[in-house]
PDB file of all heavy atoms in Angstrom:
ATOM      1  N   PRO A 702     -23.850  -5.145  -6.647  1.00 98.00           N
ATOM      2  CA  PRO A 702     -25.061  -5.758  -6.061  1.00 98.00           C
ATOM      3  C   PRO A 702     -24.745  -6.350  -4.658  1.00 98.00           C
ATOM      4  O   PRO A 702     -25.730  -6.416  -3.902  1.00 98.00           O
ATOM      5  CB  PRO A 702     -25.523  -6.885  -7.047  1.00 98.00           C
ATOM      6  CG  PRO A 702     -24.928  -6.476  -8.361  1.00 98.00           C
ATOM      7  CD  PRO A 702     -23.691  -5.747  -8.059  1.00 98.00           C
ATOM      8  N   PHE A 703     -23.440  -6.714  -4.439  1.00 98.00           N
ATOM      9  CA  PHE A 703     -23.031  -7.606  -3.288  1.00 98.00           C
ATOM     10  C   PHE A 703     -22.488  -6.699  -2.166  1.00 98.00           C
ATOM     11  O   PHE A 703     -22.669  -6.946  -1.021  1.00 98.00           O
ATOM     12  CB  PHE A 703     -22.320  -8.592  -3.721  1.00 98.00           C
ATOM     13  CG  PHE A 703     -22.716  -9.276  -4.920  1.00 98.00           C
ATOM     14  CD1 PHE A 703     -21.878  -9.305  -6.149  1.00 98.00           C
ATOM     15  CD2 PHE A 703     -23.882 -10.053  -5.001  1.00 98.00           C
ATOM     16  CE1 PHE A 703     -22.365  -9.804  -7.343  1.00 98.00           C
ATOM     17  CE2 PHE A 703     -24.345 -10.507  -6.218  1.00 98.00           C
ATOM     18  CZ  PHE A 703     -23.617 -10.477  -7.365  1.00 98.00           C
ATOM     19  N   ALA A 704     -21.724  -5.633  -2.660  1.00 98.00           N
ATOM     20  CA  ALA A 704     -21.077  -4.896  -1.585  1.00 98.00           C
ATOM     21  C   ALA A 704     -21.086  -3.464  -2.187  1.00 98.00           C
ATOM     22  O   ALA A 704     -20.142  -2.823  -2.537  1.00 98.00           O
ATOM     23  CB  ALA A 704     -19.564  -5.214  -1.368  1.00 98.00           C
ATOM     24  N   PRO A 705     -22.230  -2.870  -2.297  1.00 98.00           N
ATOM     25  CA  PRO A 705     -22.585  -1.583  -3.013  1.00 98.00           C
ATOM     26  C   PRO A 705     -21.758  -0.411  -2.573  1.00 98.00           C
ATOM     27  O   PRO A 705     -21.163   0.381  -3.487  1.00 98.00           O
ATOM     28  CB  PRO A 705     -23.999  -1.300  -2.810  1.00 98.00           C
ATOM     29  CG  PRO A 705     -24.380  -2.122  -1.667  1.00 98.00           C
ATOM     30  CD  PRO A 705     -23.579  -3.321  -1.550  1.00 98.00           C
ATOM     31  N   HIS A 706     -21.439  -0.286  -1.282  1.00 98.00           N
ATOM     32  CA  HIS A 706     -20.822   0.897  -0.903  1.00 98.00           C
ATOM     33  C   HIS A 706     -19.325   0.811  -1.374  1.00 98.00           C
ATOM     34  O   HIS A 706     -18.819   1.825  -1.963  1.00 98.00           O
ATOM     35  CB  HIS A 706     -20.696   1.019   0.743  1.00 98.00           C
ATOM     36  CG  HIS A 706     -22.144   0.748   1.230  1.00 98.00           C
ATOM     37  ND1 HIS A 706     -22.682  -0.414   1.669  1.00 98.00           N
ATOM     38  CD2 HIS A 706     -23.180   1.741   1.738  1.00 98.00           C
ATOM     39  CE1 HIS A 706     -23.832  -0.355   2.147  1.00 98.00           C
ATOM     40  NE2 HIS A 706     -24.131   0.934   2.296  1.00 98.00           N
ATOM     41  N   THR A 707     -18.725  -0.266  -1.004  1.00 98.00           N
ATOM     42  CA  THR A 707     -17.293  -0.379  -1.425  1.00 98.00           C
ATOM     43  C   THR A 707     -17.109  -0.223  -2.924  1.00 98.00           C
ATOM     44  O   THR A 707     -16.210   0.457  -3.444  1.00 98.00           O
ATOM     45  CB  THR A 707     -16.714  -1.739  -0.887  1.00 98.00           C
ATOM     46  OG1 THR A 707     -17.078  -1.874   0.439  1.00 98.00           O
ATOM     47  CG2 THR A 707     -15.337  -1.750  -1.098  1.00 98.00           C
ATOM     48  N   ALA A 708     -18.003  -1.031  -3.633  1.00 98.00           N
ATOM     49  CA  ALA A 708     -17.876  -1.083  -5.110  1.00 98.00           C
ATOM     50  C   ALA A 708     -18.036   0.335  -5.653  1.00 98.00           C
ATOM     51  O   ALA A 708     -17.301   0.771  -6.492  1.00 98.00           O
ATOM     52  CB  ALA A 708     -19.010  -1.936  -5.660  1.00 98.00           C
ATOM     53  N   GLU A 709     -19.154   1.131  -5.175  1.00 98.00           N
ATOM     54  CA  GLU A 709     -19.372   2.506  -5.766  1.00 98.00           C
ATOM     55  C   GLU A 709     -18.183   3.433  -5.500  1.00 98.00           C
ATOM     56  O   GLU A 709     -17.793   4.186  -6.248  1.00 98.00           O
ATOM     57  CB  GLU A 709     -20.707   3.074  -5.268  1.00 98.00           C
ATOM     58  CG  GLU A 709     -21.812   2.336  -5.920  1.00 98.00           C
ATOM     59  CD  GLU A 709     -23.172   3.101  -5.728  1.00 98.00           C
ATOM     60  OE1 GLU A 709     -23.048   4.280  -5.236  1.00 98.00           O
ATOM     61  OE2 GLU A 709     -24.140   2.552  -6.077  1.00 98.00           O
ATOM     62  N   ALA A 710     -17.651   3.288  -4.149  1.00 98.00           N
ATOM     63  CA  ALA A 710     -16.522   4.215  -3.824  1.00 98.00           C
ATOM     64  C   ALA A 710     -15.240   3.859  -4.672  1.00 98.00           C
ATOM     65  O   ALA A 710     -14.599   4.789  -5.064  1.00 98.00           O
ATOM     66  CB  ALA A 710     -16.211   3.939  -2.349  1.00 98.00           C
ATOM     67  N   LEU A 711     -15.085   2.628  -4.997  1.00 98.00           N
ATOM     68  CA  LEU A 711     -13.883   2.294  -5.828  1.00 98.00           C
ATOM     69  C   LEU A 711     -14.239   2.771  -7.324  1.00 98.00           C
ATOM     70  O   LEU A 711     -13.218   3.362  -7.893  1.00 98.00           O
ATOM     71  CB  LEU A 711     -13.767   0.742  -5.947  1.00 98.00           C
ATOM     72  CG  LEU A 711     -13.071   0.031  -4.874  1.00 98.00           C
ATOM     73  CD1 LEU A 711     -12.902  -1.372  -4.969  1.00 98.00           C
ATOM     74  CD2 LEU A 711     -11.514   0.597  -4.863  1.00 98.00           C
ATOM     75  N   LEU A 712     -15.388   2.647  -7.680  1.00 98.00           N
ATOM     76  CA  LEU A 712     -15.537   3.247  -9.015  1.00 98.00           C
ATOM     77  C   LEU A 712     -15.362   4.662  -9.184  1.00 98.00           C
ATOM     78  O   LEU A 712     -14.814   5.316 -10.178  1.00 98.00           O
ATOM     79  CB  LEU A 712     -17.063   2.959  -9.453  1.00 98.00           C
ATOM     80  CG  LEU A 712     -17.387   1.578  -9.829  1.00 98.00           C
ATOM     81  CD1 LEU A 712     -18.959   1.307  -9.958  1.00 98.00           C
ATOM     82  CD2 LEU A 712     -16.665   1.141 -11.036  1.00 98.00           C
ATOM     83  N   LEU A 713     -15.825   5.567  -8.028  1.00 97.00           N
ATOM     84  CA  LEU A 713     -15.533   6.825  -8.024  1.00 97.00           C
ATOM     85  C   LEU A 713     -13.986   7.071  -7.957  1.00 97.00           C
ATOM     86  O   LEU A 713     -13.572   7.934  -8.685  1.00 97.00           O
ATOM     87  CB  LEU A 713     -16.122   7.478  -6.731  1.00 97.00           C
ATOM     88  CG  LEU A 713     -17.729   7.684  -6.849  1.00 97.00           C
ATOM     89  CD1 LEU A 713     -18.330   8.048  -5.514  1.00 97.00           C
ATOM     90  CD2 LEU A 713     -18.027   8.690  -7.900  1.00 97.00           C
ATOM     91  N   ALA A 714     -13.259   6.286  -7.245  1.00 96.00           N
ATOM     92  CA  ALA A 714     -11.914   6.441  -7.095  1.00 96.00           C
ATOM     93  C   ALA A 714     -11.143   6.270  -8.247  1.00 96.00           C
ATOM     94  O   ALA A 714     -10.065   6.732  -8.539  1.00 96.00           O
ATOM     95  CB  ALA A 714     -11.337   5.596  -5.918  1.00 96.00           C
ATOM     96  N   SER A 715     -11.774   5.348  -9.216  1.00 96.00           N
ATOM     97  CA  SER A 715     -10.989   5.107 -10.388  1.00 96.00           C
ATOM     98  C   SER A 715     -10.870   6.315 -11.379  1.00 96.00           C
ATOM     99  O   SER A 715      -9.934   6.441 -12.184  1.00 96.00           O
ATOM    100  CB  SER A 715     -11.667   3.970 -11.191  1.00 96.00           C
ATOM    101  OG  SER A 715     -12.893   4.589 -11.833  1.00 96.00           O
ATOM    102  N   GLY A 716     -11.724   7.292 -11.248  1.00 94.00           N
ATOM    103  CA  GLY A 716     -11.738   8.467 -11.864  1.00 94.00           C
ATOM    104  C   GLY A 716     -12.139   8.281 -13.364  1.00 94.00           C
ATOM    105  O   GLY A 716     -12.055   9.139 -14.207  1.00 94.00           O
ATOM    106  N   ARG A 717     -12.646   7.023 -13.712  1.00 91.00           N
ATOM    107  CA  ARG A 717     -13.116   6.806 -15.101  1.00 91.00           C
ATOM    108  C   ARG A 717     -14.451   6.529 -15.184  1.00 91.00           C
ATOM    109  O   ARG A 717     -14.986   5.901 -16.174  1.00 91.00           O
ATOM    110  CB  ARG A 717     -12.238   5.747 -15.824  1.00 91.00           C
ATOM    111  CG  ARG A 717     -11.421   4.883 -14.902  1.00 91.00           C
ATOM    112  CD  ARG A 717     -10.438   4.075 -15.718  1.00 91.00           C
ATOM    113  NE  ARG A 717      -9.207   4.925 -16.035  1.00 91.00           N
ATOM    114  CZ  ARG A 717      -8.426   4.521 -17.060  1.00 91.00           C
ATOM    115  NH1 ARG A 717      -8.757   3.593 -17.952  1.00 91.00           N
ATOM    116  NH2 ARG A 717      -7.332   5.258 -17.209  1.00 91.00           N
ATOM    117  N   VAL A 718     -15.291   6.741 -14.230  1.00 94.00           N
ATOM    118  CA  VAL A 718     -16.740   6.387 -14.241  1.00 94.00           C
ATOM    119  C   VAL A 718     -17.508   7.638 -14.031  1.00 94.00           C
ATOM    120  O   VAL A 718     -17.279   8.418 -13.105  1.00 94.00           O
ATOM    121  CB  VAL A 718     -16.911   5.273 -13.308  1.00 94.00           C
ATOM    122  CG1 VAL A 718     -18.475   4.999 -13.134  1.00 94.00           C
ATOM    123  CG2 VAL A 718     -16.326   4.038 -13.697  1.00 94.00           C
ATOM    124  N   ASP A 719     -18.527   7.825 -14.763  1.00 94.00           N
ATOM    125  CA  ASP A 719     -19.552   9.055 -14.634  1.00 94.00           C
ATOM    126  C   ASP A 719     -20.163   8.783 -13.260  1.00 94.00           C
ATOM    127  O   ASP A 719     -20.865   7.745 -13.086  1.00 94.00           O
ATOM    128  CB  ASP A 719     -20.465   9.062 -15.828  1.00 94.00           C
ATOM    129  CG  ASP A 719     -21.498  10.186 -15.538  1.00 94.00           C
ATOM    130  OD1 ASP A 719     -21.571  10.681 -14.544  1.00 94.00           O
ATOM    131  OD2 ASP A 719     -22.328  10.228 -16.546  1.00 94.00           O
ATOM    132  N   PRO A 720     -20.137   9.686 -12.432  1.00 93.00           N
ATOM    133  CA  PRO A 720     -20.790   9.456 -10.993  1.00 93.00           C
ATOM    134  C   PRO A 720     -22.317   9.141 -11.252  1.00 93.00           C
ATOM    135  O   PRO A 720     -22.987   8.594 -10.328  1.00 93.00           O
ATOM    136  CB  PRO A 720     -20.512  10.691 -10.224  1.00 93.00           C
ATOM    137  CG  PRO A 720     -19.365  11.325 -11.039  1.00 93.00           C
ATOM    138  CD  PRO A 720     -19.372  10.930 -12.335  1.00 93.00           C
ATOM    139  N   GLU A 721     -22.866   9.598 -12.284  1.00 92.00           N
ATOM    140  CA  GLU A 721     -24.252   9.304 -12.440  1.00 92.00           C
ATOM    141  C   GLU A 721     -24.663   7.813 -12.811  1.00 92.00           C
ATOM    142  O   GLU A 721     -25.693   7.414 -12.855  1.00 92.00           O
ATOM    143  CB  GLU A 721     -24.809  10.201 -13.544  1.00 92.00           C
ATOM    144  CG  GLU A 721     -24.912  11.655 -13.220  1.00 92.00           C
ATOM    145  CD  GLU A 721     -25.744  11.948 -11.931  1.00 92.00           C
ATOM    146  OE1 GLU A 721     -26.918  11.549 -11.931  1.00 92.00           O
ATOM    147  OE2 GLU A 721     -25.189  12.636 -11.099  1.00 92.00           O
TER     148      GLU A 721
END
Side-chain angles (χ1 to χ4, degrees):
F703 318 114
H706 313 85
T707 309
E709 288 196 8
L711 275 176
L712 288 171
L713 283 172
S715 77
R717 17 189 85 203
V718 172
D719 175 357
E721 295 299 309

